[in-house]
């Protein structure tokens, strides 16, 4: 396989367009899974959360891993390329093989699962293809301020995301499906602490890779889970009269 810069540009632009479509669809009405589903616990047309999240996220790990394995001759240099590709796979290893097995979430709608999988194939291909076949970094990229600051942001965001997902999980006993007020960690400041972490993580990745595909994905993440954080916030304010009034939706002290 060769690098086709036109393909990278076209796929990144389409990802940006999907982000805008996502924003226009879900700004007013939240995507219908989890606490925003209208009819709850209807088993038909749904898959248990563990199975659904595993299947949905698997292509994001598998596609770049396959591209890496298929690359001939193997690309081992420069170190920056390898590290960046590993960061992406590391996140999706967690999201595919760890997160689903601990989730206590509600069954997930099959229709959204289908679109989610398509999205993960698309994005896994774009990010993997770019990093493995196209990206060119100088040998000292690991010492570049963009790489180091982006990596720090990525790690910080990932830490916030994993910790916040853990706090959410601990709100329920096994088998429970009720919603409670999240407490602790960054939830002290925002309703969408896990989303804030994920957004910081992917903007960190974009800065570290300094690439169009990664910026397009960070923008998509913002347009996808940013509105969802806002809808979560409204849901909490409507449902719990004692919900902390100083808590913001997504960005501490600001929004
Ligand atoms: N999966 C990313 N678009 C998505 C699934 C939906 O990873 O057609 C995007 C992802 C997909 C989406 C994906 C892509 C776009 C799609 C969309 C559906 C439609 C849309 C395909 C791929 C589409 C167009 C038009 C462009 C084609 O019962 P429950 O499940 O609510 O329980 C929850 C629990 N919980 C609580 N428990 C007790 N008390 C409370 N108060 C609770 N609040 C929540 O915690 C869950 O078990 C758990 C987490 O819930 P929630 O709602 O906070 O997070 P969730 O949205 O489920 O995300 C889980 C994690 C989180 O860390 C988040 O950052 C990450 O996944 N994520 C999620 C979505 C997208 C994404 C990351 C990204 O874009 N990077």
């Amino acid at each position: 396989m060769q690098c086709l810069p036109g393909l990278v540009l076209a796929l990144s632009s389409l990802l940006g367009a999907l982000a805008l479509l996502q924003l226009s669809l879900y700004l007013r009405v939240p995507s219908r899974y989890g606490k925003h589903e209208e009819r709850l616990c209807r088993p038909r047309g749904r898959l248990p959360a563990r199975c659904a999240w595993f299947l949905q996220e698997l292509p994001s790990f598998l596609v770049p891993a396959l591209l890496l394995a298929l690359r001939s001759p193997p690309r081992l240099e420069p170190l920056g390329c390898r590290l960046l590709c590993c960061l992406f796979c590391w996140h999706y290893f967690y999201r595919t093989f760890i997160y689903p097995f601990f989730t206590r979430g509600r069954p997930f709608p099959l229709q959204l699962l289908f679109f989610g999988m398509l999205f993960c194939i698309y994005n896994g291909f774009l990010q993997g293809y770019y990093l493995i076949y196209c990206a060119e970094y100088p040998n000292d990229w690991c010492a570049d301020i963009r790489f180091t600051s982006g990596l720090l942001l990525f790690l910080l965001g990932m830490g916030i995301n994993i910790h916040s997902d853990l706090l959410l999980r601990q709100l329920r006993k096994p088998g429970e499906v009720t919603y409670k007020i999240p407490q602790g960690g960054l939830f002290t400041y925002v309703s969408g602490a896990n989303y804030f972490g994920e957004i910081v993580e992917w903007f960190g990745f974009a800065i570290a890779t300094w690439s169009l595909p990664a910026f397009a994905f960070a923008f998509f993440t913002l347009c996808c889970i940013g509105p969802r954080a806002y809808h979560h916030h409204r849901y909490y304010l409507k449902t719990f009269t004692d919900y902390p009034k100083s808590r913001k939706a997504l960005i501490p002290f600001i929004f």
Side-chain angles (χ1 to χ4, degrees):
M1 218 186 287
Q2 280 180 320
C3 174
L4 301 169
L7 181 67
V8 173
L9 181 63
L11 294 180
S12 305
S13 310
L14 186 57
L15 187 53
L18 277 179
L20 292 175
L21 173 67
Q22 177 81 14
L23 193 63
S24 66
L25 285 179
Y26 296 116
L27 203 54
R28 286 204 189 157
V29 188
S31 45
R32 298 286 183 203
Y33 70 94
K35 58 173 74 68
H36 304 295
E37 261 201 275
E38 268 157 359
R39 274 166 290 175
L40 300 173
C41 300
R42 213 172 30 142
R44 275 187 67 206
R46 278 164 183 68
L47 214 59
R50 290 182 177 188
C51 197
W53 277 91
F54 172 76
L55 289 176
Q56 179 176 255
E57 306 293 322
L58 184 62
S60 293
F61 174 78
L62 222 49
V63 174
L66 273 176
L67 287 175
L68 197 58
L70 289 176
R71 163 112 195 180
S72 165
R75 185 174 193 182
L76 299 174
E77 297 297 336
L79 178 65
C81 268
R82 263 188 294 162
L83 273 176
L84 291 166
C85 195
C86 288
L87 286 186
F88 187 82
C89 290
W90 181 28
H91 171 93
Y92 280 105
F93 180 85
Y94 160 75
R95 182 68 75 221
T96 307
F97 297 105
I98 300 175
Y99 175 80
F101 295 97
F102 292 101
T103 180
R104 292 177 181 165
R106 296 176 179 203
F108 197 87
L110 275 174
Q111 201 187 359
L112 296 190
L113 168 65
F114 175 74
F115 285 117
M117 270 184 89
L118 282 186
F119 174 79
C120 289
I121 294 172
Y122 182 92
N123 189 49
F125 175 79
L126 174 59
Q127 306 301 329
Y129 176 73
Y130 175 77
L131 282 174
I132 296 161
Y133 291 92
C134 299
E136 296 285 347
Y137 294 104
N139 283 332
D140 60 353
W141 182 247
C142 295
D144 191 288
I145 182 78
R146 286 165 290 183
F147 180 86
T148 47
S149 58
L151 180 63
L152 277 178
L153 274 182
F154 178 89
L155 294 175
L156 177 72
M158 192 171 186
I160 294 173
N161 177 258
I162 292 177
H163 180 238
S164 308
D165 276 339
L166 176 77
L167 292 175
L168 284 177
R169 195 157 58 237
Q170 287 172 343
L171 290 173
R172 288 177 176 165
K173 296 192 184 77
E176 242 184 3
V177 285
T178 51
Y179 291 103
K180 297 169 191 165
I181 300 180
Q183 305 284 4
L186 219 73
F187 283 112
T188 313
Y189 305 103
V190 288
S191 302
N194 52 343
Y195 294 151
F196 175 76
E198 180 107 16
I199 291 167
V200 168
E201 190 180 344
W202 291 119
F203 272 99
F205 182 73
I207 293 169
T209 57
W210 209 249
S211 71
L212 185 61
F215 274 106
F217 178 45
F219 180 57
F220 180 90
T221 299
L222 179 67
C223 295
C224 179
I225 55 183
R228 207 169 150 77
Y230 166 72
H231 289 295
H232 276 16
H233 188 64
R234 281 179 39 148
Y235 169 91
Y236 288 134
L237 288 173
K238 218 166 77 181
T239 310
F240 303 107
T241 47
D242 55 341
Y243 197 70
K245 295 285 176 288
S246 61
R247 203 178 280 188
K248 301 287 181 189
L250 182 65
I251 306 169
F253 311 111
I254 297 176
F255 172 72

